[in-house]
Amino acid sequence: GPPGVGKTTLARLMADAFDAQFIVISAVLGGVKDIRDAVVAAREAREKGRATILFVDEVHRFNKAQQDAFLPHVESGLFTFIGATTENPSFEVNGALLSRARVYVLQPLSEDEMQQLFDRALAGFEAFDEDGRRAPPPAFDAGARERLIGWADGDARRLINAIEVVIESALAQRCEAVDAEYLEQALSQNLRRFDKGGDAFYDQISALHKAVRGSNPDAALYWLVRMLDGGADPLYMARRAIRMATEDIGLADPRALRIALDAWETYERMGSPEGELAIAEAVLYMAVAPKSNAIYVAYNSARRFINQDKSRPVPEHLRNAPTKLMKELGFGAEYRYAHDEPEAYAAGENYFPEGMPKVEWYKPTPRGLEQRIAEKLAHLRELDRQAKKKT
């Protein structure tokens, strides 16, 4: 779930409810040593008859090897593993760990819930005047409450922190009422109104990707700027542009991938704002480029076939023959060197394992460069048919 929706709080409540030892590891700062220390502490607790909950914050920051280190202890039941992440675990948590866990998606807090939190924060805030007497917090008018809740965008932590900043500022200036205008002065960054209900991070990136796929540059730019304004990592946005170039454009316009990579490199070298402008350029290019998912479809089709098919040997005429024995065994014999053939194409040659069914995974679209690729492939297949007739 997104930040400030109670992921850590839920883990702590579980530890309290089950009277379990609660160990926290931050994947941002921690490493394998922290995991080993947690294992030792969990074993000591088990010897005393006490369970352990191991909470890993930002678990997606751990690499595959670090995530794998949890597996034997999760399987043995040494501790209950709870991982919190703001990213989609399907992409950021390795499959072995994910298959041994349940995934719960936490949503941003609703407006009603944020209103309740607002009231609790005001009631629980303690401040004292110069005489040491408890000072009541300033009153927030309806406009200020609405703007502050909208700005927090379903993030409880963000709302509470902002309320504290505003109250402390108001008390210091002896301000008894807070309105929208005062909020502008009290908070260091400009307040803006998020869409009600605040979409989850991965919903927004989905909207960006679909706007690009739908060839709508203005919508693509809206979602890109919305995410950057909301704190998304620009390098993550550049990475998504690379995905768009390969999944939705492909060989219809091979320049798209290079432009996406250039945007990534530009941000790494120059930072903000020049780098963000380069990412915007890449996203807009993706949106207006000719579209093709032929590579994406072909790759996935080949993956499915390989996963289900047996391991077929390489045909002898395609094998490497660096030694005399290999040559005597027939490796590389009868191989036709394409550059010595008419049109640099060995018509009728087979490059698949023997007995493999005929496949045609890559089907170029009639858009962009792929239109010319389709024409070339059709010509080469005609040469294959003519070669078969001769034989």
Side-chain angles (χ1 to χ4, degrees), residues 92-107:
E92 303 296 340
V93 179
N94 75 52
L97 186 57
L98 202 59
S99 67
R100 292 164 173 80
R102 285 189 178 184
V103 176
Y104 295 91
V105 180
L106 303 188
Q107 302 296 336

Side-chain angles (χ1 to χ4, degrees), residues 128-347:
F128 301 90
D129 60 20
E130 297 175 352
D131 299 326
R133 294 174 297 186
R134 193 173 188 275
F140 286 75
D141 69 15
R145 289 174 67 103
E146 184 179 1
R147 293 201 69 188
L148 206 52
I149 288 173
W151 175 77
D153 198 24
D155 184 331
R157 188 184 305 111
R158 194 178 193 191
L159 177 65
I160 292 172
N161 290 342
I163 290 173
E164 289 184 355
V165 170
V166 173
I167 290 178
E168 289 174 354
S169 174
L171 291 176
Q173 298 180 28
R174 300 183 182 276
C175 176
E176 297 181 355
V178 174
D179 55 16
E181 183 179 352
Y182 185 82
L183 286 180
E184 295 280 359
Q185 302 172 3
L187 294 178
S188 58
Q189 64 187 74
N190 292 330
L191 295 181
R192 63 175 181 81
R193 179 65 181 269
F194 281 80
D195 291 339
K196 289 184 177 179
D199 297 330
F201 178 87
Y202 39 86
D203 286 338
Q204 293 182 32
I205 196 65
S206 174
L208 169 60
H209 200 142
K210 288 169 182 172
V212 168
R213 183 181 295 146
S215 298
N216 191 317
D218 293 321
L221 192 59
Y222 167 81
W223 289 113
L224 172 68
V225 175
R226 165 103 177 252
M227 295 191 72
L228 290 173
D229 183 61
D233 182 358
L235 287 177
Y236 175 82
M237 307 307 293
R239 172 184 151 200
R240 294 301 304 194
I242 293 171
R243 172 79 183 199
M244 296 168 197
T246 53
E247 180 178 338
D248 292 297
I249 298 170
L251 290 178
D253 187 348
R255 293 171 297 183
L257 180 57
R258 184 63 259 173
I259 287 173
L261 288 167
D262 286 343
W264 183 315
E265 293 171 5
T266 300
Y267 187 86
E268 283 189 323
R269 293 180 181 181
M270 303 191 70
S272 180
E274 292 85 357
E276 292 172 351
L277 187 60
I279 295 171
E281 177 183 339
V283 167
L284 288 174
Y285 189 92
M286 306 299 151
V288 300
K291 301 301 187 295
S292 170
N293 69 342
I295 290 178
Y296 182 68
V297 172
Y299 176 75
N300 287 334
S301 298
R303 284 288 300 265
R304 284 192 296 271
F305 179 87
I306 295 299
N307 288 337
Q308 299 170 6
D309 192 44
K310 62 184 179 181
S311 181
R312 300 174 183 268
V314 177
E316 288 187 356
H317 70 286
L318 297 181
R319 295 188 186 187
N320 188 30
T323 68
K324 181 179 178 181
L325 175 61
M326 289 179 173
K327 291 177 181 177
E328 291 174 353
L329 291 173
F331 291 4
E334 300 181 7
Y335 168 65
R336 296 164 59 192
Y337 188 57
H339 293 287
D340 292 339
E341 302 277 341
E343 299 188 45
Y345 182 69

